[in-house]
Amino acid sequence: MSPTRVLVLNSGSSSVKYQLLDMSDGSRLAVGLVERIGEETSRLKHTPQGGEAREWSGAVPDHEAALKAVAAELAKDGRGLDSPDLAAIGHRVVHGGKHFTEPTVIDDAVLAEIERLIPVAPLHNPANLTGIRTAQALRPDLPQVAVFDTAFHTTMPESAARYAIDVETADAHRIRRYGFHGTSHAYVSRATAKLLGKAPEDVNVIVLHLGNGASASAVRGGRCVDTSMGLTPLEGLVMGTRSGDMDPAVIFHLMRVGGMSADEIDTLLNNRSGLIGLCGDNDMREIRRRIDEGDERARLAFDIYIHRLKKYIGAYCAVLGRVDAVAFTAGVGENSAPVREAAVAGLEGLGLAVDGELNAVRGDEARLISPAGARVAVAVVPTDEEMEIATQTYALVGKDGMGSEGD
Ligand code: AMP
């Protein structure tokens, strides 16, 4: 029997999220998270399939220790990293630049390229690299696959991917629009086509990935033609803590007139802007609660968030020409009926509408929320980045690939 399990690792700067999936039936054998790595109060939560969650708190000094702790938890379930059933480890890698258009089996050259991209992803790629190196040290014989957040967006035409700045300067510094959340946009655009009973090649979809980070994409026939994030995940929509689009001259102004350094402005725009900068909260549940109590700042933050979202929906209707569906996904998109309602309100002229009752229904399944017979389907489509990473990883190394040696 070929091994059929894939461990998916998503290594952030201070956390490791993981899932162990069995690709023979798509079941999730374990789901877990190590957070606050490097602090005294690190926390691990591990939930085996059909079992009680196990939680543990203490000092996890680094990613190596975190991964060893994960391996120990998996071993308690009889599914340790040394298991012969493990086919591969799939790693989420945030920045794959222009050239990684597909999931890629990791070797030294791939590691070197991910490292070379650190200047354009200073927060994410170093953590991803640490996760890969640690996993390689624990299982040097096992195929490890990088699945890039940017890959789905590499089909964007140059007209969408290039900034209108001097070409030589842009190329010298690899400045272009890469886009992020690609694994989610890929999964959700395909799942939306399935919900409509059509092949991905036959539908045009606007995907709105609204989590703490947020991005929109225009997907024509299964291929991304535009997305709202750019060189970094700062461009585009208003997010939990990031500003999204603004006049770049704001930065010069803050430097020249506000006396701020580049690093201070980076922190301001990435960590202290967006919803949290506007009203002090970045959780949409809390913002809605405050609005219900008559809080004006929360109301304005919500209105600014929605205004930007609407502009992108309109823009991507123009980019696509014909739109078959708009899909809401991620924490806010899947759970916030008021955001979905407000984002689509007044867009009847574009064929978009939401049915109040359908929109209010909660659930884990992909579902339509537009009225029967609507010209454009509006849908809630839960994202599943881990399943997508596992699927792509297994397709590369699974049954007919390098994982089946000796079979
Ligand atoms: P994500 O980054 O996809 O995990 O999304 C996280 C965000 O989703 C949180 O910051 C909240 O703003 C939002 N969220 C999660 N659950 C809900 C909910 N039930 N209602 C509204 N917003 C939610």
Side-chain angles (χ1 to χ4, degrees):
M1 275 274 287
S2 306
T4 54
R5 293 177 186 165
V6 175
L7 178 66
V8 175
L9 289 180
N10 180 352
S11 307
S13 53
S14 65
S15 70
V16 174
K17 290 189 203 143
Y18 63 95
Q19 290 194 8
L20 180 66
L21 295 110
D22 192 329
M23 303 316 290
S24 64
D25 58 3
S27 60
R28 254 167 261 258
L29 302 174
V31 176
L33 162 77
V34 188
E35 54 190 348
R36 298 201 286 265
I37 296 171
E39 295 179 31
E40 289 300 309
T41 56
S42 317
R43 203 173 72 96
L44 182 147
K45 185 172 179 188
H46 176 91
T47 311
Q49 186 183 35
E52 288 285 304
R54 300 196 289 271
E55 291 195 40
W56 178 92
S57 187
V60 178
D62 51 30
H63 281 72
E64 189 181 340
L67 222 57
K68 283 187 173 154
V70 171
E73 290 303 322
L74 290 167
K76 283 184 202 163
D77 305 333
R79 295 173 181 141
L81 284 191
D82 53 354
S83 161
D85 295 323
L86 195 58
I89 300 181
H91 296 266
R92 175 187 184 215
V93 178
V94 167
H95 216 309
K98 209 169 133 178
H99 299 295
F100 287 121
T101 58
E102 301 280 345
T104 305
V105 176
I106 298 168
D107 58 16
D108 288 347
V110 173
L111 280 175
E113 182 60 21
I114 297 171
E115 190 154 16
R116 210 170 67 86
L117 288 162
I118 287 177
V120 284
L123 293 180
H124 295 104
N125 275 26
N128 300 157
L129 273 172
T130 310
I132 294 170
R133 291 200 170 109
T134 310
Q136 281 181 326
L138 289 175
R139 273 299 302 269
D141 56 315
L142 198 66
Q144 315 249 347
V145 173
V147 179
F148 299 95
D149 256 21
T150 44
F152 184 61
H153 304 303
T154 54
T155 52
M156 277 197 287
E158 284 295 283
S159 53
R162 275 207 179 265
Y163 291 108
I165 63 171
D166 171 70
V167 172
E168 279 74 32
T169 308
D171 289 351
H173 299 286
R174 280 178 298 193
I175 293 171
R176 59 188 282 116
R177 306 189 58 255
Y178 294 100
F180 298 88
H181 293 144
T183 309
S184 176
H185 287 283
Y187 177 86
V188 171
S189 56
R190 274 208 319 276
T192 305
K194 193 170 164 206
L195 181 68
L196 301 183
K198 296 197 171 156
E201 300 76 51
D202 295 332
V203 292
N204 294 349
V205 186
I206 297 174
V207 178
L208 303 171
H209 176 111
L210 310 177
N212 197 30
S215 64
S217 68
V219 183
R220 176 181 290 133
R223 290 165 68 85
C224 176
V225 292
D226 204 354
T227 194
S228 60
M229 285 178 166
L231 173 74
T232 76
L234 183 55
E235 190 180 344
L237 300 173
V238 176
M239 311 182 207
T241 66
R242 294 177 218 148
S243 63
D245 296 337
M246 44 162 231
D247 184 344
V250 170
I251 295 167
F252 321 139
H253 189 81
L254 286 172
M255 286 179 130
R256 293 179 188 134
V257 181
M260 290 174 75
S261 69
D263 284 347
E264 284 169 340
I265 299 170
D266 192 326
T267 305
L268 171 78
L269 299 181
N270 274 298
N271 303 340
R272 294 196 286 120
S273 296
L275 292 170
I276 207 158
L278 288 165
C279 74
D281 271 309
N282 62 333
D283 192 313
M284 194 52 81
R285 286 163 288 202
E286 187 58 19
I287 291 170
R288 290 303 311 175
R289 195 191 58 71
R290 284 172 56 185
I291 291 171
D292 289 344
E293 288 176 353
D295 186 316
E296 287 301 322
R297 270 185 73 187
R299 174 86 249 168
L300 180 60
F302 184 82
D303 290 348
I304 294 170
Y305 181 94
I306 295 296
H307 180 72
R308 183 82 51 84
L309 193 51
K310 268 200 161 109
K311 289 212 299 198
Y312 270 92
I313 296 172
Y316 287 173
C317 285
V319 166
L320 290 170
R322 187 202 84 218
V323 180
D324 298 297
V326 173
F328 287 89
T329 194
V332 176
E334 290 169 31
N335 295 299
S336 181
V339 165
R340 296 192 297 257
E341 185 189 337
V344 169
L347 301 186
E348 294 81 7
L350 298 174
L352 287 163
V354 156
D355 177 288
E357 273 180 35
L358 293 176
N359 191 32
V361 174
R362 301 190 63 86
D364 299 332
E365 301 291 320
R367 57 198 184 273
L368 290 174
I369 57 169
S370 42
R375 181 148 56 90
V376 179
V378 181
V380 180
V381 181
T383 193
D384 194 342
E385 288 166 277
E386 288 77 15
M387 179 60 78
E388 180 70 17
I389 291 171
T391 304
Q392 294 193 11
T393 298
Y394 192 61
L396 204 56
V397 306
K399 51 180 200 318
D400 304 315
M402 52 199 290
S404 63
E405 275 171 24
D407 214 11

